[in-house]
Amino acid sequence: MVEPEPRPTAGHRLGAQESLGISTLDPGHRPPAMPPGRHMPIRVRMLDDTEEVFEVSQRAPGKVLFDLVCAHLNLVEGDYFGLEFQDHRKMSVWLDLLKPTVKQIRRPKHTVLRFVVKFFPPDHAQLLEELTRYLFALQIKQDLACGRLTCNDSSAALMVSHIVQSEIGDFDEAQTRQHLLTNKYIPDQEALMDKIMEFHRKHVGQTPAESDYQLLEVARRLEMYGIRLHPAKDREGTKLNLAVAHTGVLVFQGHMKINAFNWSKVRKLSFKRKRFLIKLRPDLNQSAYQDTLEFLMGSRDCCKVFWKICVEYHAFFRLYEEPKPKPKPVLFTRGSSFRFSGRTQKQVIDYVKDSEFKKIPFERKHSKVQSNSSMSPMPSQQRSEVPKEQSMSCASGDRPDSTSRPSWREAASARAEDPAGKLASPSALLNGHEDRPGPREDEARGQPSPARQHADHLSTGAVTNSPRLSDSSGHSQGMVNGQKHGLVPGQSPDGRQPSPLTSPLLNDAGYVRTDDEDEVRRKRFPTDKAYFIAKELLTTERTYLKDLEVITVAFQDAVGKDEAMPESLRNVICSNFDPLYKFHSGFLREVEQRLALWEGRSNAHIKGDYQRIGDVMLNNVQGIKQLTAHLQKHSEVLMELEKACRASRKLDALCRDFELQKACYLPLNIFLLRPLHRLMHYKQILERLCKHYPATHADFRDSRAALADVSEIVAQLHGPMIKMENFQKLLELKKDLVGIDNLAIPGREFIRLGCLSKLSGKGLQQRMFFLFNDILLYTSRGMTATNQFKVHGQLPLYGMKIRESEDEWGVPYSFTLSGQRQSVVVAASSLLEMEKWMEDIRMAISLAEKCNGPSSAQLVGSVSDSKSPGDMTVDQESEDDLSASRTSLERQAPHRGNTTVHVCWHRNTSVSMVDFSIAVENQLSGNLLRKFKNSNGWQKLWVVFTNFSLFFYKSHQDDYPLASLPLLGYSVTVPSESENIHKDYVFKLHFKSHVYYFRSESEYTFERWMEVIRSATTSTSRSHILNRKESQPY
């Protein structure tokens, strides 16, 4: 029996610890109190075929029973599920959560309710918890077994192979065959046994959570996924089946879909006796328009059952919140009072990602890929038969052991305390104020629920989460979950919606490693620093090729084929980017082959001849030289695109829509300049390689020759690159501003943007300032659908004076800007911010005086405001503008919600063009293990650092990031001993109460990640950076 209160007994199948996060309740609430009255036992069959008995009051509504089941399972996303049973008419119906249970179940002693999936989302990535995905996988397993989920033989065999992988682990022919003979997953399993085993053989290293994910990935693409057929007939008497899905009402003939009525086309659903009626909205494109469609069902009860589930599906997937109950009529009632009860899908997603839950372990009943000890809800490290990536939990070759670990940790601590040593960004760390960039900086919808405290710092378009595996494992011979421990980035099916961060976590509690195993690893993997430099070339080249695909594939498919795109623009893009993409695809293959030889994964007997990368670089730099003509025309591509967008509103809209796509994770224009940026990366990699090699090394001569050739190309393109970076930044800012028409004019240079508080008659008001070489704009967040910034005023720099005014106004870190017609008092968030602003403004004033301020008049006329700058005094600014900008955060902003401008607005900080240039130079990619402050496991992710942000992927093969973390305002350090992070090569990111730990695989990669991240989180000295850029062009 299950008592009304959740019980802390640890031995229950799916955990029975107290859960305060039941999906049908408000955050932090317990299940509703049991109404008084006699209790009756209710039997519920779970998805793993076990039965539980719950005692509920006879007066209790169905919601009480359903909440008890969710609490028993510790299920957060229970709204996707329901309780189904057969009523006295032998019809399968859903338990109504609002009606008393005793009125629905006539004979409770003889009735067994089934806890099953009720609402099937279009993408399993929308399921944020691993337990939810596990239950969905059990539902798919049931549907396959009973023949409800029909598909072709290949899909059936593939799904069964994933089920087998999750239950018995890696392929063993005898074990797999015996398991398939013992367990029947599909009706015609014997005929497909060989094909199932063939697929199972390919799943080596796949964890149970990954198997669930892959199973759902295959299932969701099937036409019968989530379909429950309801027999009906049309007006001619033809036998049909009706079904409902997230898209609308579907019509099947047998198991073939013959029609679909999208919710947007349906005006009303109703039933009258046996007739089910669908009233459609008028379609102006069809001459033969039929207003009402009629279907004949078996009985009125059949009609009502189907109508109810249609109402619930529509409400769950289409509404933002639960519909309110209608007031009861005084005299007469008409129609049904039935309504959807519970959270909508949007509410479920928002609730889960905005709330914090305690991790609850659960056990997979049918899975043998775990033991009963040390269960953890966090996934284990991803594995594969290709040991390409080292286990980040062990030493990289001759890594110092535990006795010598303080040597690198102390050195890293010293670097963190004094970053001026080897890093390009030597100033103090920035710590801005915590706010959310965009409408909501949701943490990736890709994080485990215990880390919801971090949720407001990750932004992404779709809500995802990482599967959380039970990390108990067999401990013998270095096995994880009974499988050999190797690493490779996981497969990512192409073209899917954002997947959860299914890269698993490594939990040391479930993985016991011996000293002998460490010794084997040290002997097996390369340890030379040159290897890790070459590996950086490989990882960044993979990211660069994906960035090229954004233009050559995604942009061409979405925009390039539209008639709005001029032929000249299409030709210049294809002629310049296609050759580059083809060349770098071949270059990437060569680097991958060389790294495979270097790691000893093939031709091990001649491994020594391939422990170098300079010769590969030298050969390919010659090919890059031949493409210099294409690289020189990239400025032409950017100019042509801007010219075409100004001439065609349709093309401009298409480009803006393309920037909304997940693949375009950065502003579009940045991708157009990627080939020029990549040359600088080659130069830096070769410089590090030459610095590491002694002059007598076999690879030194090739590396030095390649460096000379790359430096020559960089010097040729240095001038156009600087101009294009500035032009690209002006175009990007133009999209963020409202009230200015012609920002990107010849001669204008961007200098700094950031947040300052402007003193007005109503006190200090937050404003966003944009500094150029001729004018200073100040703005606030407007009430536009895209949360753009509205220009409030402008201050020409010609003749401007600047002075500190903290003593004058009594406002910390304040200074006064005195123009020819207007004076403004502003305050920075810190002394460092004030010094940066004053230094840049003084420099901009001197530039404006040199060019005598001719361009400021052009901008004055372009501001779309009826007021002149002279009329706009501090007292005339409306507080409504500021309050409007705050309320706009609550609106759904589909575009530009996480750009650098918005991040600066919410973190109350600033960045300069120098910072952007450094960010271009400091880009990095690779696998990292991530851990949250209150979690136990380490999650393996493919991480890309660019544009002041970390972008998280499941693997390098994914087409778009699953989450991002803007780093402006963060600090990067190494964890202290008191934090109990007993691992090597760990760095810590923290902003206020938000803390992330990341582990790299070697000391070199640790130093590189610290260096590039500090470039985004540390304030830069302008004079130091300008001197550095003069000595090193580009």
Side-chain angles (χ1 to χ4, degrees):
M1 294 287 182
V2 174
E3 299 297 331
E5 309 78 55
R7 297 173 303 175
T9 307
H12 271 70
R13 182 179 52 84
L14 291 177
Q17 301 180 28
E18 182 179 63
S19 173
L20 303 184
I22 299 173
S23 62
T24 53
L25 304 177
D26 291 332
H29 286 192
R30 298 177 183 273
M34 189 70 65
R38 195 178 62 165
H39 287 202
M40 61 179 182
I42 302 291
R43 287 189 296 161
V44 178
R45 180 176 292 120
M46 303 299 180
L47 281 165
D48 59 358
D49 296 329
T50 60
E51 283 191 9
E52 303 289 348
V53 181
F54 298 85
E55 283 196 352
V56 297
S57 170
Q58 290 182 341
R59 299 182 184 180
K63 179 176 171 56
V64 172
L65 174 61
F66 182 72
D67 288 343
L68 284 175
V69 177
C70 291
H72 174 67
L73 299 177
N74 287 296
L75 180 60
V76 176
E77 299 170 295
D79 300 79
Y80 290 101
F81 301 85
L83 292 171
E84 190 179 36
F85 65 97
Q86 281 196 340
D87 63 6
H88 63 284
R89 299 158 298 189
K90 301 299 181 182
M91 292 180 56
S92 292
V93 295
W94 294 100
L95 183 71
D96 193 322
L97 300 184
L98 299 180
K99 290 184 178 180
T101 305
V102 71
K103 289 188 177 182
Q104 303 180 68
I105 306 175
R106 300 285 182 87
R107 304 173 65 191
K109 292 184 179 180
H110 304 281
T111 303
V112 178
L113 282 74
R114 297 181 300 278
F115 181 80
V116 293
V117 177
K118 186 175 185 179
F119 301 109
F120 289 81
D123 183 9
H124 54 284
Q126 296 170 335
L127 306 175
L128 308 186
E129 297 292 320
E130 184 207 341
L131 173 58
T132 313
R133 289 191 292 273
Y134 168 60
L135 295 176
F136 265 74
L138 292 179
Q139 183 68 66
I140 298 302
K141 178 181 172 183
Q142 286 187 5
D143 291 349
L144 279 173
C146 69
R148 181 183 288 165
L149 181 58
T150 57
C151 58
N152 59 43
D153 290 348
S154 295
S155 297
L158 181 58
M159 286 189 288
V160 172
S161 69
H162 286 301
I163 295 173
V164 173
Q165 174 71 20
S166 70
E167 293 185 354
I168 66 173
D170 286 348
F171 176 79
D172 178 270
E173 185 170 358
Q175 184 185 16
T176 301
R177 186 176 297 277
Q178 181 60 38
H179 189 76
L180 289 173
L181 291 173
T182 307
N183 301 274
K184 189 172 183 179
Y185 298 103
I186 50 178
D188 193 19
Q189 183 169 296
E190 292 77 10
L192 298 177
M193 189 171 294
D194 291 339
K195 184 171 287 189
I196 294 171
M197 295 177 65
E198 180 183 348
F199 282 127
H200 186 205
R201 191 190 305 269
K202 300 176 182 178
H203 302 330
V204 174
Q206 192 168 280
T207 62
E210 293 165 343
S211 299
D212 291 344
Y213 174 79
Q214 297 296 341
L215 172 64
L216 296 176
E217 177 67 31
V218 177
R220 76 179 182 92
R221 300 174 184 273
L222 302 178
E223 193 167 67
M224 295 300 293
Y225 169 67
I227 297 300
R228 301 295 183 261
L229 298 178
H230 297 256
K233 296 180 181 178
D234 61 10
R235 286 181 175 179
E236 287 74 30
T238 305
K239 290 185 178 181
L240 303 171
N241 288 299
L242 299 182
V244 62
H246 68 281
T247 55
V249 181
L250 311 178
V251 182
F252 286 82
Q253 194 162 25
H255 287 84
M256 180 180 295
K257 184 171 68 175
I258 61 174
N259 210 342
F261 303 102
N262 195 283
W263 294 126
S264 60
K265 297 180 181 180
V266 176
R267 182 166 58 89
K268 184 179 181 181
L269 293 176
S270 61
F271 66 95
K272 187 174 183 181
R273 298 186 179 90
K274 293 184 179 182
R275 292 179 297 154
F276 184 80
L277 306 175
I278 304 176
K279 294 185 178 181
L280 303 176
R281 300 183 187 277
D283 191 346
L284 302 179
N285 297 324
Q286 293 184 5
S287 57
Y289 166 68
Q290 189 174 358
D291 175 71
T292 303
L293 298 173
E294 183 178 308
F295 298 91
L296 191 66
M297 305 190 79
S299 65
R300 180 186 180 278
D301 291 334
C302 294
C303 275
K304 188 172 184 178
V305 168
F306 182 61
W307 174 79
K308 281 185 175 182
I309 189 62
C310 288
V311 170
E312 292 182 310
Y313 253 84
H314 176 269
F316 184 76
F317 287 108
R318 296 280 288 182
L319 301 185
Y320 286 114
E321 59 185 16
E322 178 184 354
K324 300 296 186 293
K326 296 180 181 179
K328 293 185 178 181
V330 179
L331 296 177
F332 303 103
T333 60
R334 183 180 179 183
S336 174
S337 62
F338 175 79
R339 66 180 178 89
F340 170 73
S341 174
R343 282 195 176 90
T344 65
Q345 187 189 33
K346 181 181 184 302
Q347 288 178 309
V348 175
I349 291 173
D350 291 344
Y351 166 54
V352 174
K353 61 184 173 57
D354 289 340
S355 303
E356 180 177 346
F357 305 106
K358 184 179 180 181
K359 292 181 297 184
I360 302 297
F362 72 92
E363 179 185 345
R364 297 167 179 270
K365 178 191 174 189
H366 301 286
S367 179
K368 302 176 183 177
V369 195
Q370 57 186 5
S371 67
N372 293 327
S373 62
S374 183
M375 288 193 301
S376 167
M378 310 305 292
S380 58
Q381 183 68 28
Q382 187 172 0
R383 299 167 299 281
S384 173
E385 67 277 13
V386 184
K388 182 174 175 182
E389 305 287 344
Q390 267 186 273
S391 171
M392 299 183 187
S393 64
C394 66
S396 292
D398 54 357
R399 179 184 302 174
D401 55 24
S402 59
T403 58
S404 60
R405 184 166 66 189
S407 61
W408 76 266
R409 186 180 292 274
E410 290 169 2
S413 300
R415 285 193 297 271
E417 295 169 1
D418 181 17
K422 293 167 61 179
L423 303 178
S425 304
S427 300
L429 298 176
L430 282 176
N431 278 292
H433 296 282
E434 178 194 4
D435 277 303
R436 295 186 175 186
R440 181 183 288 109
E441 278 195 319
D442 301 323
E443 177 198 37
R445 305 164 171 198
Q447 312 316 326
S449 56
R452 296 299 167 198
Q453 59 184 321
H454 306 280
D456 57 329
H457 282 276
L458 291 180
S459 61
T460 185
V463 184
T464 56
N465 191 15
S466 54
R468 304 179 300 162
L469 302 188
S470 180
D471 216 4
S472 50
S473 61
H475 301 316
S476 62
Q477 302 297 324
M479 305 283 281
V480 176
N481 286 346
Q483 303 175 24
K484 293 183 179 179
H485 192 80
L487 295 174
V488 76
Q491 297 298 319
S492 175
D494 295 332
R496 65 168 186 257
Q497 297 296 319
S499 60
L501 299 183
T502 50
S503 298
L505 303 178
L506 181 61
N507 189 334
D508 295 312
Y511 181 32
V512 177
R513 189 173 57 249
T514 64
D515 294 337
D516 292 339
E517 183 184 355
D518 280 338
E519 184 65 26
V520 170
R521 290 181 181 275
R522 277 193 283 269
K523 291 180 179 179
R524 182 173 182 178
F525 289 96
T527 60
D528 185 13
K529 181 178 178 179
Y531 163 74
F532 294 107
I533 297 176
K535 193 169 184 179
E536 180 183 341
L537 172 66
L538 170 66
T539 56
T540 53
E541 189 71 16
R542 284 171 172 168
T543 299
Y544 171 57
L545 201 64
K546 283 292 184 182
D547 288 347
L548 287 181
E549 288 179 1
V550 173
I551 300 298
T552 59
V553 179
F555 182 74
Q556 294 284 27
D557 291 343
V559 182
K561 298 177 182 178
D562 195 276
E563 58 183 12
M565 183 176 232
E567 191 66 29
S568 59
L569 176 60
R570 186 181 294 110
N571 291 338
V572 74
I573 291 178
C574 293
S575 61
N576 286 292
F577 278 88
D578 288 351
L580 285 173
Y581 180 74
K582 182 178 179 181
F583 170 80
H584 285 282
S585 298
F587 177 44
L588 177 60
R589 285 193 297 271
E590 287 188 40
V591 176
E592 288 176 334
Q593 292 170 2
R594 176 56 57 87
L595 264 294
L597 294 171
W598 201 330
E599 293 168 353
R601 287 189 275 125
S602 59
N603 294 341
H605 60 286
I606 54 173
K607 178 177 61 176
D609 296 334
Y610 291 94
Q611 292 184 345
R612 61 179 187 269
I613 198 66
D615 56 331
V616 176
M617 287 293 295
L618 181 60
N619 292 336
N620 284 276
V621 166
Q622 304 302 322
I624 295 176
K625 274 189 171 182
Q626 300 174 9
L627 297 173
T628 305
H630 296 291
L631 296 171
Q632 291 173 337
K633 292 183 180 179
H634 277 61
S635 59
E636 179 183 341
V637 176
L638 194 59
M639 299 290 289
E640 281 287 330
L641 180 60
E642 171 60 16
K643 179 181 176 182
C645 288
R646 286 201 310 267
S648 171
R649 288 187 177 182
K650 182 179 180 182
L651 179 61
D652 184 59
L654 287 173
C655 291
R656 288 177 182 267
D657 290 341
F658 176 72
E659 286 190 321
L660 291 176
Q661 296 186 12
K662 303 179 187 71
C664 191
Y665 65 99
L666 297 173
L668 174 61
N669 292 334
I670 291 182
F671 292 104
L672 297 176
L673 300 182
R674 272 294 192 251
L676 301 180
H677 299 160
R678 186 58 180 159
L679 293 175
M680 189 62 197
H681 303 159
Y682 291 148
K683 182 172 179 285
Q684 292 174 337
I685 289 173
L686 287 168
E687 285 174 345
R688 284 191 289 272
L689 205 59
C690 291
K691 185 176 180 180
H692 167 69
Y693 283 143
T696 56
H697 195 280
D699 200 29
F700 178 76
R701 178 177 295 181
D702 289 341
S703 300
R704 187 173 60 179
L707 175 59
D709 290 342
V710 169
S711 300
E712 180 183 347
I713 302 173
V714 167
Q716 292 177 12
L717 300 173
H718 171 63
M721 178 65 201
I722 296 299
K723 293 179 181 178
M724 284 302 101
E725 279 186 344
N726 181 72
F727 183 58
Q728 180 271 325
K729 184 53 60 179
L730 293 176
L731 296 180
E732 182 182 343
L733 293 178
K734 187 175 74 171
K735 297 178 182 179
D736 281 314
L737 295 175
V738 173
I740 185 167
D741 299 326
N742 194 17
L743 186 65
I745 62 173
R748 174 163 295 132
E749 295 181 12
F750 165 70
I751 298 177
R752 179 176 290 277
L753 64 86
C755 223
L756 294 171
S757 296
K758 180 175 175 293
L759 186 63
S760 70
K762 297 183 179 181
L764 290 173
Q765 296 178 319
Q766 185 180 3
R767 293 288 180 259
M768 195 73 184
F769 281 74
F770 298 85
L771 177 63
F772 303 93
N773 63 336
D774 59 342
I775 202 161
L776 177 66
L777 300 177
Y778 58 92
T779 68
S780 71
R781 281 280 290 270
M783 294 185 64
T784 63
T786 55
N787 281 330
Q788 292 170 293
F789 288 84
K790 178 183 177 182
V791 177
H792 282 286
Q794 50 189 324
L795 300 172
L797 297 180
Y798 183 70
M800 178 181 285
K801 305 296 182 183
I802 181 173
R803 70 178 189 276
E804 292 188 35
S805 53
E806 181 174 346
D807 296 335
E808 180 181 355
W809 295 97
V811 179
Y813 316 124
S814 61
F815 54 96
T816 301
L817 302 172
S818 302
Q820 295 178 342
R821 294 174 292 179
Q822 181 183 3
S823 293
V824 174
V825 180
V826 295
S829 60
S830 65
L831 177 61
L832 181 61
E833 279 289 296
M834 183 186 75
E835 291 175 347
K836 290 190 295 183
W837 273 107
M838 293 186 69
E839 178 185 0
D840 285 347
I841 291 175
R842 287 193 177 105
M843 182 195 68
I845 291 173
S846 64
L847 291 175
E849 291 175 349
K850 288 179 182 178
C851 49
N852 204 24
S855 60
S856 61
Q858 293 176 307
L859 187 57
V860 168
S862 66
V863 174
S864 304
D865 201 325
S866 58
K867 303 175 186 177
S868 67
D871 297 331
M872 191 175 295
T873 63
V874 292
D875 294 326
Q876 289 174 315
E877 274 196 71
S878 172
E879 184 65 24
D880 293 338
D881 294 320
L882 185 59
S883 62
S885 70
R886 287 171 179 164
T887 57
S888 64
L889 289 175
E890 301 170 4
R891 296 184 175 87
Q892 185 177 1
H895 189 35
R896 311 200 63 78
N898 60 347
T899 61
T900 305
V901 179
H902 290 80
V903 175
C904 288
W905 171 264
H906 293 288
R907 303 271 171 89
N908 202 9
T909 185
S910 67
V911 292
S912 67
M913 190 62 200
V914 173
D915 298 321
F916 282 106
S917 299
I918 294 175
V920 164
E921 296 179 12
N922 289 285
Q923 296 184 17
L924 195 59
S925 309
N927 285 301
L928 288 176
L929 295 179
R930 182 185 61 185
K931 177 185 179 299
F932 298 107
K933 180 170 61 176
N934 296 323
S935 64
N936 297 321
W938 293 86
Q939 182 181 22
K940 184 183 178 186
L941 299 170
W942 176 262
V943 183
V944 174
F945 171 79
T946 185
N947 204 40
F948 305 104
S949 298
L950 292 177
F951 295 90
F952 301 101
Y953 300 74
K954 177 189 173 185
S955 78
H956 69 85
Q957 298 167 325
D958 287 358
D959 294 327
Y960 45 79
L962 307 174
S964 64
L965 176 63
L967 294 181
L968 291 174
Y970 270 79
S971 296
V972 57
T973 58
V974 293
S976 62
E977 292 295 334
S978 62
E979 293 173 88
N980 295 321
I981 306 295
H982 304 298
K983 300 293 178 184
D984 290 340
Y985 315 127
V986 176
F987 59 91
K988 170 185 173 183
L989 285 174
H990 57 96
F991 175 77
K992 294 193 173 181
S993 62
H994 303 273
V995 178
Y996 304 90
Y997 300 100
F998 293 90
R999 288 170 57 195
S1000 55
E1001 63 179 345
S1002 69
E1003 185 172 0
Y1004 171 80
T1005 53
F1006 166 80
E1007 291 175 348
R1008 284 290 294 138
W1009 280 107
M1010 289 280 287
E1011 178 183 354
V1012 299
I1013 291 177
R1014 189 174 283 118
S1015 71
T1017 59
T1018 305
S1019 172
T1020 55
S1021 168
R1022 171 171 290 278
S1023 58
H1024 174 81
I1025 297 301
L1026 289 179
N1027 292 337
R1028 183 174 68 87
K1029 290 180 74 66
E1030 288 173 3
S1031 62
Q1032 296 182 3
Y1034 201 93

